[in-house]
Amino acid sequence: MVRPERRTVRDLRKGNRAVLLRTLYFAGPTSRHELTGLTGLSAASVSNVTGDLIADGVVVEAGLVESDGGRPRVLLRVDPEFGYAIGVDVGETHVRVELFDLDMNERAKADHPLHPSRHDVGLVAEHILSGIDAVLAESGVDPGRVLGVGIGVPGIVESGPEALIHAQTFGWDAVPLGTLLRAGTSLPLYVDNGAKTMGQAELWFGAGRGTRHTIVALIGSGAGASIITDGITYRGANSSAGEWGHTKIEFRGRACRCGGRGCLEAYIGAESILARAGMPAGTVDEQAVLAELVASGHPVVDETADYLGAGLANLINLFNPERIVIGGWAGLLLGQHRMTRIKQAAAENSLAQPYETASIVLGRLGPDAVALGAATLVMEEFLLGRTAPAASQPTAS
Ligand SMILES: [Zn+2]
């Protein structure tokens, strides 16, 4: 038997609270009058809910603004110090932990180098936990005001309390990172793929801001994409969606590090570009060598721009995005020097109509926004009303 849905007054108020909080967070200082227009809520609802948010300390007054003929209006904003979010970037060569206030200003940072060939999960978990302690100590922030810890990792993350991670390049096969961390911290944990966290950072604060149908294509040693449809990251059945680097660009083509052949990554990933240019495998400083190759005008670079454009065309035909953001250190480098060629190849290989409506732009946050993106996982939960600082819990009624 299907129970009729019963929305109580309490549910309604909770929903209105989430809508108002999100609007205030992204719009910045806003008057109650503007909030009515932006949210479609009645003036009475806006007044009630903002009253609750102010009483709970989430929202504060932020000065006055003149209104046409009437009394000046009070501006409201989310108090950046109401809570804090910790973001963690587990990369090939480092574990970076950063603590942000609600405006995403970085308040403290801790870096632990990792040997590129040693990614023992116990060691990584230890670095994360000591990094959390270090940023709390450096910032002087009360742990009771921390909303949670977002963690960006390589590979595929199965959502759930264990946060099982499958990362071939790290030699991680169903590694329970969540369980390992749980032994050392009671803060809420949110683990996701690093490319997806970067994608969310570009969507919220970077080149994707203001869009709803966006793809963030990240190219470093490998390649991946974060596909955002209607403002939400598309994950698929087991959170592995967006493995764009392993879509095929050439049937039975070059061998890929996933074990397959002809993958896009085997042509546009930095490691593969260098190999195609005849550079010895395992080059120590991939970034410097690729920068030199791009500057020298090596024919492999033009060819890579063509493959990249064709890869973007596949995304355009499949998803009809309004914007594609190219990021990742190798993506930024290629985009800065070969954007015209990349766009040309994208145009040649996509259907005319979806190509016309898609803009292709470079990321704005640089190659190091994984920790910031990971912190947005925490913010997302907060804005939905699903987490609050432990120190503020008793005031909610
Ligand atoms: Zn592959």
Side-chain angles (χ1 to χ4, degrees), residues 319-363:
F319 296 104
N320 181 205
E322 57 184 307
R323 192 168 300 166
I324 292 184
V325 178
I326 302 177
W329 67 266
L332 291 171
L333 188 64
L334 289 165
Q336 275 152 10
H337 293 88
R338 294 291 187 283
M339 194 53 130
T340 312
R341 194 166 176 127
I342 293 168
K343 285 185 178 173
Q344 214 171 354
E348 276 168 22
N349 291 286
S350 42
L351 297 170
Q353 192 274 337
Y355 177 78
E356 285 307 318
T357 54
S359 60
I360 301 175
V361 300
L362 278 184

Side-chain angles (χ1 to χ4, degrees), residues 245-246 248 256-261 263 265-266:
H246 303 286
K248 308 306 171 197
C256 177
R257 54 183 183 173
C258 73
R261 299 197 83 88
C263 298
E265 181 172 305

